């Protein structure tokens, strides 16, 4: 769900809008600015309008459901400096984990969000994610955290 090419660390963006544009490009099968990334961007923006996806402590989990998506897809952007994401704790966001899941799998969507929120609210897990210097380690943490949801073919 989180291939290495969808994990960016030490990025610099100035706004939530730009982060969501880049995130949509990572989550899409086409390049940034393509038809699929535009559709995913609109899904992420619509979800942000419903309520901020920043969960506090410098973390946001923008997510949405898409009828064209066949399997859950994830992407990670870690920023060198935090940006305003509208978090309730007013902390700037440095870690963004994006998700697009199939429309017909709401239980899976909620299970993924729940596991991510659980681990990211744990100080030790959150620090591991914020301090690691390799996309491979970030991917490893996510695979470990989401392992309760793995199916035999994954």
């Amino acid at each position: 769900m989180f291939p290495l090419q969808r994990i960016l660390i030490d990025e610099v963006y100035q706004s939530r809008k730009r982060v969501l544009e880049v995130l949509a490009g990572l989550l899409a099968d086409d390049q940034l600015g393509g038809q699929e990334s535009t559709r995913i961007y609109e899904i992420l923006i619509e979800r942000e309008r419903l309520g901020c996806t920043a969960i506090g402590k410098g973390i946001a989990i923008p997510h949405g459901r898409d009828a064209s998506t066949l399997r859950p897809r994830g992407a990670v952007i870690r920023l060198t400096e935090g940006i305003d994401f509208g978090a309730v704790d007013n902390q700037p966001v440095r870690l963004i984990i994006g998700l697009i899941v199939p429309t017909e799998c709401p239980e899976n969507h909620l299970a993924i969000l729940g596991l991510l929120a659980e681990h990211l609210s744990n100080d030790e897990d959150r620090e591991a994610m914020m301090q690691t210097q390799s996309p491979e380690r970030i991917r490893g943490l996510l695979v470990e955290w989401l392992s309760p949801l793995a199916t035999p073919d994954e």
Side-chain angles (χ1 to χ4, degrees), residues 13 19 52-62 77-87 89-97 130:
Y13 301 116
V19 166
C52 179
T53 58
I55 62 171
K57 299 189 180 190
I59 315 275
I61 309 177
I77 299 173
R78 194 179 70 202
L79 305 171
T80 56
E81 293 185 26
I83 59 168
D84 179 16
F85 226 88
D89 66 359
N90 292 318
Q91 286 192 28
V93 166
R94 283 193 53 230
L95 180 67
I96 301 97
I97 300 176
M130 297 301 263

Side-chain angles (χ1 to χ4, degrees), residues 122-138:
N122 174 291
D123 292 340
E124 190 175 306
D125 286 346
R126 186 177 57 258
E127 273 308 301
M129 184 69 75
M130 297 301 263
Q131 298 303 321
T132 186
Q133 293 303 306
S134 86
E136 292 84 2
R137 178 68 180 132
I138 287 176

